[in-house]
Amino acid sequence: GKPVRVLKNIFTSAITYIRLDDTHRQIVVGSHYGEIKVYDVLSGLMTHQLEGHSKELGEISFLGYGDGDSTVISVAWDKYIKVHKDEKVDEGLRQGHTATSLRSKGRCHDKDITCADYHHKLGLIATGAQDKQVKLFDYETLREKYCWPDAH
């Protein structure tokens, strides 16, 4: 019943998505302003910050963890999917810089992406948006594989 750890004032905006990594040692947190930070669960310290999404339109709607690949997948209202390497910060990044994404794809939908999911074994990222479509993207290339209903 008692909290193990409380992290306060992580962002200046609302927290919109939260995810534990597969080892349950890190917690990945996304904000209304498209920010993404990674914290150590035991110490409560921020280990690194990932390249975010648009501050105006980038509310994080999904964070996924890429299992053995040690990646974090972020999806936001700015219609972008990003795959980030989940690594500890180097000295340059500690100076306030942000780790960039490995790959990203914009304009994945015509309207805000409001939800998503990831399946590691199939290598698929599923997204749903306000355009009333569900799309499947290949994890490695971020190419669209399927769309329902078919918009093409």
Side-chain angles (χ1 to χ4, degrees), residues 46-119:
M46 185 176 82
T47 59
H48 52 294
Q49 184 168 343
L50 303 176
E51 177 185 21
H53 290 258
S54 163
K55 183 174 181 178
E56 293 79 28
L57 302 170
E59 179 170 315
I60 303 297
S61 54
F62 173 76
L63 293 169
Y65 204 79
D67 293 338
D69 296 340
S70 295
T71 58
V72 174
I73 302 155
S74 63
V75 178
W77 287 9
D78 62 1
K79 305 174 194 96
Y80 268 82
I81 298 171
K82 294 185 179 187
V83 177
H84 315 264
K85 189 70 178 164
D86 182 24
E87 294 180 334
K88 302 285 187 260
V89 292
D90 62 22
E91 199 55 45
L93 295 175
R94 285 192 186 102
Q95 306 290 330
H97 294 90
T98 306
T100 58
S101 60
L102 293 172
R103 55 191 175 273
S104 67
K105 179 178 176 67
R107 298 183 181 185
C108 292
H109 281 267
D110 293 332
K111 295 189 177 180
D112 298 349
I113 301 174
T114 55
C115 58
D117 204 356
Y118 169 66
H119 193 285

Side-chain angles (χ1 to χ4, degrees), residues 9-67:
N9 302 315
I10 292 175
F11 300 116
T12 58
S13 66
I15 293 170
T16 58
Y17 209 94
I18 194 164
R19 171 74 191 243
L20 284 167
D21 75 350
D22 293 342
T23 65
H24 300 269
R25 294 183 181 155
Q26 294 186 114
I27 190 165
V28 185
V29 187
S31 82
H32 176 73
Y33 287 157
E35 302 161 290
I36 306 165
K37 295 181 180 178
V38 182
Y39 288 85
D40 179 82
V41 171
L42 295 177
S43 70
L45 297 175
M46 185 176 82
T47 59
H48 52 294
Q49 184 168 343
L50 303 176
E51 177 185 21
H53 290 258
S54 163
K55 183 174 181 178
E56 293 79 28
L57 302 170
E59 179 170 315
I60 303 297
S61 54
F62 173 76
L63 293 169
Y65 204 79
D67 293 338

Side-chain angles (χ1 to χ4, degrees), residues 122-124 135-139 141 143-147:
L122 295 177
L124 294 175
K135 294 184 178 186
L136 291 179
F137 294 88
D138 178 76
Y139 165 76
T141 63
R143 286 193 194 126
E144 183 180 324
K145 294 188 81 153
Y146 304 102
C147 176

